[in-house]
Amino acid sequence: MASLRLPAQLVTRGTLNHHTSSSSAASSVSLSWRRSLSPDNSIPTLPSSSSLNRKPSTVVPVTCSAAAVNLAPGTPVRPTSILVVGATGTLGRQIVRRALDEGYDVRCLVRPRPAPADFLRDWGATVVNGDLSKPESIPATLVGVHTVIDCATGRPEEPIKTVDWEGKVALIQCAKAMGIQKYVFYSIHNCDKHPEVPLMEIKYCTEKFLQESGLNHITIRLCGFMQGLIGQYAVPILEEKSVWGTDAPTRVAYMDTQDIARLTLIALRNEKVNGKLLTFAGPRAWTTQEVITLCERLAGQDANVTTVPVSVLRVTRQLTRFFQWTNDVADRLAFTEVLSSDTVFSVPMTETNSLLGVDQKDLVTLEKYLQDYFSNILKKLKDLKAQSKQSDIYF
């Protein structure tokens, strides 16, 4: 077993505030976060939304162990070697597919599971087992990797902090220690404006931690995935099941994850993007009701809509905070605060498109995405119905 001892300047216990950070560069000054989320002294704690002044404190080193890790300096690493973390997810699989199509050597970090991710191997990727909640499993997956693309997020049944904070901190620390050349991190648009929402607070704090780590990085904030609308609205409407919505005026500029993958790899090759914060948004921002209306029109049938007032979600969140065993539910319901704030999850893409050399007209619109989905699914349903009738005649 080889032991990887992370640099002391990465394992930190000082204070960094949620909104601003000091430019002090003394190596003895450590990163830390005021809101304690972990008893493990090797993991920085998250801040509250109060001031964030850095203060020096005791540095506590962390040791990550991995089998046969070769950290010899000067070992050549191909610039095309990529590790995709969260490769089985909605975005991760699109990153993998696009990178393979463009000739990258793709390695996928996935958790050990009863049903292996064979589709990734079938595409041509290499699959390695690792778990962000177990830091000792990380270093071996980084050997021979040039770039890490971090698409991972915790499962719904997990505490938000386990993967999205503690796991990401461990991954960034190991990436720095092992000389990873570039790190791509996906965050959430407006995460810096909503410290009251745990996941958004964690995303913003991770952005700051990555920035302070000294890694060459790109941070990409996202607004929403078009793919998520299929299970939420399109399928229930086709199956004549209830569609759940809210009365919130929040608007989201949903984006096709294939477009996100394409733009990510363009950014990866553009040296001008290094160290920048980019925000990817779809061509138009939509309310929940507008999305449902569009699905109804394309499906040719009305939706059975059950509207849940935001006020009810807010009360539910307050109730769940009374019990330890429902704290995770309360954290996820914290998004109701965003829903009730008239937030628009969208930004103009003009500057980003210019930087990346992308034409806005090449980005898929939500109308086109859903139209293609409904056209394909309705054609398949029609063919199945026709086959069923032929079978009835035959028998």
Side-chain angles (χ1 to χ4, degrees), residues 109-117 121 127-134 137 155:
L109 189 156
V110 300
R111 301 192 203 194
R113 56 177 65 197
R121 294 188 181 91
V127 176
V128 294
N129 286 333
D131 191 336
L132 294 188
S133 66
K134 299 176 180 178
S137 71
R155 295 167 178 165

Side-chain angles (χ1 to χ4, degrees), residues 1-7 10-11 61-72 135-143 170-180:
M1 296 288 287
S3 180
L4 169 63
R5 190 174 182 82
L6 299 176
L10 282 184
V11 189
V62 162
T63 299
C64 292
S65 297
V69 176
N70 180 12
L71 297 179
E136 68 276 7
S137 71
I138 297 174
T141 69
L142 296 172
V143 176
L171 178 60
I172 291 169
Q173 289 175 330
C174 288
K176 176 65 176 179
M178 296 188 66
I180 296 300

Side-chain angles (χ1 to χ4, degrees), residues 91-202:
L91 176 58
R93 63 183 61 199
Q94 298 298 342
I95 296 289
V96 171
R97 192 63 181 265
R98 183 78 191 194
L100 288 168
D101 289 346
E102 294 191 11
Y104 285 89
D105 180 13
V106 182
R107 184 183 303 176
C108 302
L109 189 156
V110 300
R111 301 192 203 194
R113 56 177 65 197
D118 288 336
F119 71 94
L120 296 173
R121 294 188 181 91
D122 292 341
W123 290 349
T126 301
V127 176
V128 294
N129 286 333
D131 191 336
L132 294 188
S133 66
K134 299 176 180 178
E136 68 276 7
S137 71
I138 297 174
T141 69
L142 296 172
V143 176
V145 169
H146 180 278
T147 299
V148 171
I149 301 181
D150 177 8
C151 312
T153 191
R155 295 167 178 165
E157 66 271 15
E158 294 177 316
I160 290 175
K161 68 174 184 178
T162 302
V163 169
D164 288 283
W165 175 245
E166 296 170 357
K168 297 304 180 77
V169 166
L171 178 60
I172 291 169
Q173 289 175 330
C174 288
K176 176 65 176 179
M178 296 188 66
I180 296 300
Q181 299 298 300
K182 190 171 292 188
Y183 192 107
V184 179
F185 173 66
Y186 291 103
S187 189
I188 302 175
H189 179 50
N190 283 336
C191 62
D192 53 324
K193 296 180 174 61
H194 295 281
E196 75 280 5
V197 180
L199 181 59
M200 298 183 81
E201 180 190 24
I202 285 173

Side-chain angles (χ1 to χ4, degrees), residues 6-17:
L6 299 176
Q9 64 266 29
L10 282 184
V11 189
T12 58
R13 298 298 298 167
T15 301
L16 179 65
N17 285 326

Side-chain angles (χ1 to χ4, degrees), residues 68-345:
V69 176
N70 180 12
L71 297 179
T75 302
V77 176
R78 294 189 304 276
T80 55
S81 60
I82 293 177
L83 176 69
V84 180
V85 185
T88 58
T90 302
L91 176 58
R93 63 183 61 199
Q94 298 298 342
I95 296 289
V96 171
R97 192 63 181 265
R98 183 78 191 194
L100 288 168
D101 289 346
E102 294 191 11
Y104 285 89
D105 180 13
V106 182
R107 184 183 303 176
C108 302
L109 189 156
V110 300
R111 301 192 203 194
R113 56 177 65 197
D118 288 336
F119 71 94
L120 296 173
R121 294 188 181 91
D122 292 341
W123 290 349
T126 301
V127 176
V128 294
N129 286 333
D131 191 336
L132 294 188
S133 66
K134 299 176 180 178
E136 68 276 7
S137 71
I138 297 174
T141 69
L142 296 172
V143 176
V145 169
H146 180 278
T147 299
V148 171
I149 301 181
D150 177 8
C151 312
T153 191
R155 295 167 178 165
E157 66 271 15
E158 294 177 316
I160 290 175
K161 68 174 184 178
T162 302
V163 169
D164 288 283
W165 175 245
E166 296 170 357
K168 297 304 180 77
V169 166
L171 178 60
I172 291 169
Q173 289 175 330
C174 288
K176 176 65 176 179
M178 296 188 66
I180 296 300
Q181 299 298 300
K182 190 171 292 188
Y183 192 107
V184 179
F185 173 66
Y186 291 103
S187 189
I188 302 175
H189 179 50
N190 283 336
C191 62
D192 53 324
K193 296 180 174 61
H194 295 281
E196 75 280 5
V197 180
L199 181 59
M200 298 183 81
E201 180 190 24
I202 285 173
K203 287 291 187 181
Y204 181 72
C205 290
T206 307
E207 290 181 6
K208 302 300 289 185
F209 188 80
L210 178 59
Q211 182 181 1
E212 294 288 337
S213 74
L215 276 169
N216 186 14
H217 68 280
I218 303 171
T219 297
I220 301 173
R221 291 183 179 179
L222 304 174
C223 297
F225 299 156
M226 291 182 184
Q227 279 74 5
L229 302 176
I230 300 301
Q232 193 170 1
Y233 301 116
V235 172
I237 289 175
L238 287 172
E239 295 181 348
E240 299 181 355
K241 295 181 179 179
S242 293
V243 173
W244 295 88
T246 70
D247 55 358
T250 304
R251 308 179 74 87
V252 179
Y254 299 101
M255 195 170 184
D256 187 348
T257 52
Q258 293 187 23
D259 280 339
I260 296 173
R262 180 169 62 90
L263 267 60
T264 296
L265 291 171
I266 292 174
L268 202 59
R269 296 188 292 270
N270 189 336
E271 295 299 323
K272 296 179 181 178
V273 178
N274 290 341
K276 288 188 178 294
L277 170 63
L278 305 177
T279 301
F280 291 173
R284 174 190 162 186
W286 298 73
T287 65
T288 297
Q289 186 53 54
E290 287 173 340
V291 173
I292 292 174
T293 300
L294 176 61
C295 289
E296 287 177 321
R297 177 168 62 83
L298 295 174
Q301 60 192 68
D302 294 335
N304 179 19
V305 182
T306 301
T307 301
V308 181
V310 173
S311 58
V312 172
L313 295 176
R314 188 182 294 112
V315 170
T316 303
R317 184 200 178 199
Q318 295 302 322
L319 290 174
T320 54
R321 291 184 70 86
F322 284 114
F323 307 100
Q324 181 67 32
W325 54 275
T326 56
N327 273 344
D328 294 332
V329 176
D331 284 347
R332 298 185 187 281
L333 285 173
F335 274 102
T336 58
E337 303 300 326
V338 180
L339 292 175
S340 60
S341 62
D342 295 342
T343 299
V344 177
F345 282 85

